Amino acid sequence: MDLLKKYIEVRNHSEEICKPLQTEDYVVQPIVDVSPPKWHIGHTTWFFETFILKPNMEKYEEFDPQYNYVFNSYYETVGVRVIRTDRGNLSRPTVEDIYKFRRHVDNAMNEFLQKPLTKELEELIELGLNHEQQHQELLATDIKYILGNNPLFPPYKFEVGKSQNNIQTKNNDFLKVKKGIYKIGYEGDDFCFDNELSRHEVLLQDFSIANNLVTNGEFMEFMDAGGYKNFNYWHAEGWDWVKTNNINSPLYWHFINGEWFNYTLQGLQKIALNKPLCHISFYEASAYASWKGMRLPTEFEWEIAAQQFEWGQRWEWTESAYLPYPGFSKAPGAIGEYNGKFMVNQQVLRGASEVTPEGHSRITYRNFFHPHLRWQYTGVRLAQ
Amino acid sequence: MDLLKKYIEVRNHSEEICKPLQTEDYVVQPIVDVSPPKWHIGHTTWFFETFILKPNMEKYEEFDPQYNYVFNSYYETVGVRVIRTDRGNLSRPTVEDIYKFRRHVDNAMNEFLQKPLTKELEELIELGLNHEQQHQELLATDIKYILGNNPLFPPYKFEVGKSQNNIQTKNNDFLKVKKGIYKIGYEGDDFCFDNELSRHEVLLQDFSIANNLVTNGEFMEFMDAGGYKNFNYWHAEGWDWVKTNNINSPLYWHFINGEWFNYTLQGLQKIALNKPLCHISFYEASAYASWKGMRLPTEFEWEIAAQQFEWGQRWEWTESAYLPYPGFSKAPGAIGEYNGKFMVNQQVLRGASEVTPEGHSRITYRNFFHPHLRWQYTGVRLAQ
Amino acid sequence: MDLLKKYIEVRNHSEEICKPLQTEDYVVQPIVDVSPPKWHIGHTTWFFETFILKPNMEKYEEFDPQYNYVFNSYYETVGVRVIRTDRGNLSRPTVEDIYKFRRHVDNAMNEFLQKPLTKELEELIELGLNHEQQHQELLATDIKYILGNNPLFPPYKFEVGKSQNNIQTKNNDFLKVKKGIYKIGYEGDDFCFDNELSRHEVLLQDFSIANNLVTNGEFMEFMDAGGYKNFNYWHAEGWDWVKTNNINSPLYWHFINGEWFNYTLQGLQKIALNKPLCHISFYEASAYASWKGMRLPTEFEWEIAAQQFEWGQRWEWTESAYLPYPGFSKAPGAIGEYNGKFMVNQQVLRGASEVTPEGHSRITYRNFFHPHLRWQYTGVRLAQ
Amino acid sequence: MDLLKKYIEVRNHSEEICKPLQTEDYVVQPIVDVSPPKWHIGHTTWFFETFILKPNMEKYEEFDPQYNYVFNSYYETVGVRVIRTDRGNLSRPTVEDIYKFRRHVDNAMNEFLQKPLTKELEELIELGLNHEQQHQELLATDIKYILGNNPLFPPYKFEVGKSQNNIQTKNNDFLKVKKGIYKIGYEGDDFCFDNELSRHEVLLQDFSIANNLVTNGEFMEFMDAGGYKNFNYWHAEGWDWVKTNNINSPLYWHFINGEWFNYTLQGLQKIALNKPLCHISFYEASAYASWKGMRLPTEFEWEIAAQQFEWGQRWEWTESAYLPYPGFSKAPGAIGEYNGKFMVNQQVLRGASEVTPEGHSRITYRNFFHPHLRWQYTGVRLAQ
């Protein structure tokens, strides 16, 4: 019954995120990394139909067998996937059809969750809910991209996630952490992803880490100092990225009549200097740190030090590549494709963001993206 | 007043074509050559606002100054155009907004057309209506592409344009035309495009031309004879196109359980053998003719011979490149960009198709597309 | 015996063109349209081995069966061709090997040509020599590209072809030609390409055409008048080409310390204002004509008027697309692939250039290239 | 004087590697990762001219100021670099010119090294020699690629580096290493790269690691078991790489008449089953390990365990991404660009290969390449 309550809450939250959307906003895919909102709404539903209802609920009737083809993402085990770049070309199923699909699955799940479940099934449903929460954050970032790249700059007018006042108080101290053996990875009985295991010891050297995230104002100093024009601060691939794409500011920033604005969920607004910097790539994060004569923390340093500072406003780029922990082993079957297959060419981000759904952040959580991506709520915390 | 009546009729017809659409169908752009239906609806409206109302109607209030940026197509004179590939990324303005824009402009035009107009203005409005009719054909072909490339193959359920029974009667005779000097190009007082002028004499050699279009069944013989696998029948660029894109049948054809189907506006259907072949590239048209030991007609041969055969079911590829007629001169200003700028790298098609709007076909009409394109209702008529 | 003499002369000339080259210059392929000189030297030899010696000389021993794979160009009938972009990756066979191949084939041809030949064979050898002359012009233009795109700008130091003083005398008159029926295409008993046939009548309207080619100085006026920045003068595809490639001058032009230079076979030199303009695309030729309020001649106008003006310094872009003449039919077999397969998407150039080998120009000669290409010695003659 | 002797030895070795080459082999660049041998010969020379002679030898005369433009690689501090893809387009300077450049610099260095040097200069020369040794390995692998991708498969006929008999003896035991704190990184007074520092402690878990490298025969079992067709063994990006490039065997393998051959420096030869597997990507290494139910070692595990097994035949892919060690700091100026700027998106390889120059391998050496690259002598050692 707790699980049913959680199921309803999580499923409702996805729909709430979409409430301010027009039908048309559900459909488009401006870049390959962004999925159309209607795809998210269908895909998270497909998860429960495919992994819970079809194999486990006797009299369950599949809503439409062709939906597997449309809403599968990367689960190669389950069937042929739609090429990711094609998602934005599909006008059908319509938004209404997809919400019908959602109702159909939710009704069945509602019934299914009345009865006692095996531990294994409970865990799988828990995974499905965490999976949906991940897509809630993606919904928020994808919607921002869809609206923020429209020449009309339509506001979204809705507070996603925590509506905290995320102004940085000026406390630019650095915490010091002593060399030693520390425990890393999830411990406990609640849900965690497979990539947070196994919990293991690491040896850290002495380091210090900033109490605060880098602010917009601080990053502007880097821009004013010609940071985007001096290759010395950049990785070779980062520098190529800057030149190829003519990057000269964070994503969503626009220089209008001598002033910097950025697109926010409330529309175009002047840059707030003391808010934490957002929407930067790993390359920019790293170049900024290099310009300051510092570096980014490793994910292990972050996990240990984070017990002593506030976090949760930005996904913080770390210097760590996304790799398996000692003893990592992927689950058998389709679920096992979840994390391990991405463990190359990506950087770990730690923390959470203002659009991370409540209850979906942990100090051991390992988020990961390619180093050039910026549409997530990414930020920088310095270390040395 | 006649012009007002025509205005209303033409404008209504565009909306009728879109009636069977879901909102989502208006938004997507699966390939760069296809525009989202909502863009067509907005762009044809933008034409009247930009070229008629804003410069000529005193108290006209522009609906939204930003729409110029969104609905301009290739008219470089008028302002910065949206990159064509971006059209499918724009969820706003919504379909509803665009219909409001349409109402706004139609109301103004309705008032404007009550009063006497200069001849120049009348001609410009006539051009606007012919422009909209061109977009009606594109609407029909773009909608077919959007639905026909969706894995659910949703039917459109609506007869666009002429609902004639386009079965070929078996009369495979060839008309003979004698060598001589013939007149080519538009003559008369009604509307024609600038590319149909000036009317001029050409010298044609003896030729003969088929009474009938090539049928699906006849083209299947080419396929069965290995036509797609023998470079001898193909232009070098056509052969590259076949191999690069793994082409082995006309567009919309699918080989399912040992039989050929094609997507039609009524959904997937078995190939009708005696219907005229449709949705082929110039390369395929030319390879078929080569396999038959014949050739395609030139546009001049076509224009002279067409007085003696029935045409209007398919846009018929000709061997003629799209070039200016002697004495061609483009109109000054934005309107002058209409045709001349495309006179390179394209082939002329003559005739009309089952989705050409009524009243929009002429024996002198010169349609033109790049040789690899297939989403128009294109067909083949042999000559020798 | 005349044929033997011609064979020796033509074959020698190819080698003379290459004399100033370093071994390294034979190897590279800076762009896909340019072939490495060693490939030209091998390919023209392969032609005689494949089409003359192997099928017709009884005791001929093939030099190396693998060379067919390397030196075949577009002759799909004969075997698998090397992908064109790969030519510049092949260090073997070496230049020395290829000259050995050349000696081997020349020796055999020398012997073969001592004996009486069928008319058919004579024609095929004639074709092979004309083919080699075409490659001589390509050798000259490809060598210029290879050296002219090297940052050291090494001079070639050798006069290819006619060393005429090609300064334009100031006689900017326009010839007038009257409307009438004219004969077009090759007539005579000497060699011509299949695309020059059949000779046929065309009807021309009144037109006038410039006595002289456009000069560098005249084109600079277009540049100074902002010609590269005003889309009104350009085809839509030409304008895209200008913007995508940041074109602002003819090929090989460099703006250095406030003055225009261009790379010539003698190295970097100041622009000679009264020499005929060279190395421009069809798009530039057409835009220049449009800026002057004129147009390019058709290939038919050119062929008729050229009897009255001097030509031969530049390949002159015409407004005509490359299409078959009435009654054109391609030869059977591999030779038939020669011309017909390219009759789409290319523009006809008429005349000849300063690097056209002597004896390889005719008033009926039809050269053809894609409209964006500039590495040939192309120029402009205005018509109206 | 020792340094002079070492200078001469190292410089000679580069030239010996190139002895079997034809001039043409020096010029080509079949893929972007491979540099033309003449570029390596020039670039390693440019290093000494730029960093040693020009700033430090009073009367030194620069050989040719334009060479900086041609032979600079990625050193953005020193000047504009030639775009890497352009190297294969440059026929000049010729091979002879470059060897003259080499003589010129060697003569000056010979003189320069007679006199006492500061420690700083000695270190810089030492770096230059190690830099040249790195390029010696690249010369060997690039030459193999140039010859091995030529359809004539010319043999190189020369033993590069160690001519050891690298047959694996059957000892497939796994070494066990106990959990503990181990020291990682270079310690000593000889040369090491900045990325091997600082030496620091890491905590390792229990692990075991194979005594032997995976052999060709063992990898064939993976191929026979459908390893290239089962996405379960692959990273998501690896799977895309397999499908996009139709990968079904290691690089240089060819399936001819029912048997597997591979290109070796002696030409095409049958696969030797008990030799260590070579020329595979990280993706293939990782997929193989996954199929065996094991994994690749981390670079730290490797460094500790390697004290107990033989290594040096293959560069061994590790599971570690290329990241800075604690306390890593890059040197000031151009030299500082050496390593740090590549610390993203690459995997560490440990060991050395049969073409690594003698004296250029260390147990702490960190090689790094992108995960899809195969033209180095890469291999696999399993861990669990």
Side-chain angles (χ1 to χ4, degrees), chain B residues 272-375:
Chain B
L273 295 179
N274 52 3
K275 282 204 176 181
L277 173 67
C278 200
H279 297 300
I280 43 128
S281 68
F282 169 76
Y283 297 127
E284 288 162 298
S286 185
Y288 177 83
S290 174
W291 174 73
K292 294 292 277 188
M294 303 191 198
R295 60 176 177 84
L296 304 180
T298 67
E299 63 167 322
F300 308 115
E301 291 170 341
W302 190 96
E303 186 168 325
I304 298 310
Q307 295 159 18
Q308 299 177 58
F309 56 70
E310 273 184 52
W311 54 270
Q313 297 178 305
R314 298 288 176 264
W315 285 105
E316 306 180 18
W317 286 109
T318 74
E319 203 165 74
S320 300
Y322 181 47
L323 295 172
Y325 282 176
F328 170 78
S329 67
K330 55 182 191 179
I335 299 301
E337 292 188 53
Y338 210 87
N339 270 311
K341 69 195 301 185
F342 298 114
M343 289 176 176
V344 69
N345 284 340
Q346 311 215 33
Q347 293 296 121
V348 173
L349 300 105
R350 289 302 194 95
S353 87
E354 54 188 88
V355 297
T356 306
E358 220 157 319
H360 191 69
S361 58
R362 279 181 300 285
I363 206 166
T364 59
Y365 196 104
R366 305 174 78 201
N367 204 348
F368 52 91
F369 281 98
H370 285 99
H372 66 287
L373 294 175
R374 314 202 287 178
W375 95 112

Side-chain angles (χ1 to χ4, degrees), chain D residues 234-260:
Chain D
W234 297 82
H235 287 98
E237 294 185 16
W239 186 238
D240 285 345
W241 172 81
V242 164
K243 286 186 298 181
T244 304
N245 301 286
N246 295 311
I247 305 290
N248 62 1
S249 70
L251 183 65
Y252 298 126
W253 287 37
H254 300 274
F255 197 64
I256 301 169
N257 298 328
E259 263 185 304
W260 281 105

